[in-house]
Amino acid sequence: MSTEPASAAPKQAPGPNPPAGGGEAAEHRALVLTGFGGYEKLKVQARRGASPRPGEVSVSVRACGLNFADVMARQGVYDRLPSPPVCPGMECAGTVRAVGEGVRNPQVGDKVMVLALSGLWQEVVNVPASQTFPMPEGMSFEEAAALLVNYITAYMVLFDFGNLRPNQSVLIHMAAGGVGTAAIQLCKTVENVTIFGTASASKHDSLRESGVAHPIDYRTMDYAEEVRKISPKGVDIVLDPLGGSDTAKGFNLLKPMGKLITYGVANLITGQKRNLMAMAKTWWNQFSINALQLLQQNKAVCGYYLGCMLEETELLRSVVAKLVNLYSQGKIKPKVDSVWPFDQVGEAMRQLQEKKNVGKVILVPEAPKEESKKAEN
């Protein structure tokens, strides 16, 4: 799987069978990060694309996923994104409209999910065929745009690194967010897993309904103390998207043979724009441990970063196949918090950054037929 950002593609008039190789380039709309900073740095611009190259497919995008990495990219603290002006977006879903030379699958008209390092927040994209995954039967485009990044991350963190087994306990931070929601659903596929989840108090009822035994309000309580009250020995697995001092707190909460998996640095983000003090504090408090200390503690620390895994095509395909199977069995279902048109990307970003969302925030090229849902949490 290529780690190149998705390229722009021509917009063609809809038709039953767009030709292989595409057609004459036309303008389409794209979200472009014009510079690092606040919400206003993302603008809708017209782009002119090209026909798909050999090995590529052209996709008419129907929905895009918004991730915390996109918030970090906007502020200039995500080093995997090319320099502005650049089109962000790691995941989308849509319909194949044209295929390049040598492509057998997917075919024109197929509904697909797409994963890339960046470049997917556009009406039309060209991507290597290897970066597309068939949408499961019955899944909406919005759900499909909510699946790949969050569920691949949650699955690999819980099962590949965490080795989650029956009768274990898990602490999930930002439990109402995209990865958190995915992790809760995946925990429920294993017998008798006890879930602790941190989130603001307004989201606790939703968390309990989804299977969190012990919601904790991180804004008013010390979550480590709350976990210890209920489980004095701590937990078996800690999912850490926070970084900084929270990584050390999570490590200290582990039982013997416990595992902490760090997969983000959300503590870097404190406002619309980059906060140098928050960055300095987070990096100063970054967790550090040597091999001998680990040996004596009987604990494990793992790091996971999907952005550095995109070359692992077969591994990712095997994970997506397992997720699609779980979806088809009704065991997981992406939870969409709200849907926003490209024109309201600033409000969508605010929804995610201010942690008002319960589930996934979705972007669509055009305004939904019903008014975009505004969460009131």
Side-chain angles (χ1 to χ4, degrees), residues 3-22:
T3 55
E4 289 297 312
S7 58
K11 184 176 181 181
Q12 298 174 332
N17 289 304

Side-chain angles (χ1 to χ4, degrees), residues 81-108:
L81 192 73
S83 299
V86 62
C87 176
M90 297 177 66
E91 61 187 334
C92 70
T95 304
V96 177
R97 60 190 290 281
V99 299
E101 183 183 343
V103 175
R104 293 186 177 181
N105 282 299
Q107 298 179 347
V108 169

